[in-house]
Amino acid sequence: MANKKRRKKKKKGVNIALFVIEIVVLIVLVVGIFATVKDRKLRKGCTATANATIVDIKTKIEHDAGETGSDTTKYIPVLEFYANGSQVVAEGNQSSGNREKYHVGDSMEIIYNPDKPTILFMDTQAKTNKFSLLLTVIGAAMLVYGIVSKAGLF
């Protein structure tokens, strides 16, 4: 009799844990899809290309309010290029924790929105943000695994 109660209690705990995992999976999937759609929408308007020069490196320090309270330093290139005959200076859409990744004076090809030249992408070949795509794939894979597991097919 006591064994049955323990099994029921254990099964209830497992069900709660699975429910929490399912919620996390759905959140990861939704965030990934949202970020991918937003990125593609911004990229869609970026139809012009230009050769941009890094004119400055902006340092951004982000403080983690969590348990560690550590700071993260990111280096963002400031780009200068010409759009529609006018000089444009704008922050790049990528940053790095490595100070040596970007150097003042370096040139690169960018794509930008001719209507809003400050909307630009430094990675002209990529069609979408790799991180948002990764979130979507992981979320979808975990969701499929969960459905297959519940159906008893795995």
Side-chain angles (χ1 to χ4, degrees), residues 20-33 139 142-143:
V20 170
I21 290 170
E22 289 170 353
I23 295 298
V24 170
V25 166
L26 286 174
I27 290 170
V28 168
L29 184 61
V30 168
V31 167
I33 290 171
M142 291 172 68
L143 185 64

Side-chain angles (χ1 to χ4, degrees), residues 4 32 59 98 101 129 138 151:
K4 279 187 177 181
T59 303
N98 178 0
K101 183 172 182 177
N129 183 319
I138 289 172

Side-chain angles (χ1 to χ4, degrees), residues 2 11 29 37 45 47 57 75 81 87-88 97 122 124 128 131 136 149:
K11 191 174 182 178
L29 184 61
V37 168
T47 56
I57 308 291
Y75 301 98
F81 61 99
Q87 182 183 25
V88 178
M122 295 163 52
T124 59
T128 188
F131 181 71
T136 304
S149 294

Side-chain angles (χ1 to χ4, degrees), residues 3-56:
N3 244 356
K4 279 187 177 181
K5 282 185 178 179
R6 260 189 253 142
R7 274 192 236 143
K8 272 189 172 181
K9 205 174 203 180
K10 189 175 180 182
K11 191 174 182 178
K12 186 178 181 183
V14 169
N15 284 340
I16 291 172
L18 287 175
F19 178 72
V20 170
I21 290 170
E22 289 170 353
I23 295 298
V24 170
V25 166
L26 286 174
I27 290 170
V28 168
L29 184 61
V30 168
V31 167
I33 290 171
F34 176 77
T36 300
V37 168
K38 182 180 177 193
D39 187 66
R40 285 184 184 245
K41 189 176 183 181
L42 279 175
R43 262 181 211 279
K44 193 175 184 179
C46 294
T47 56
T49 60
N51 190 32
T53 302
I54 298 175
V55 293
D56 193 13

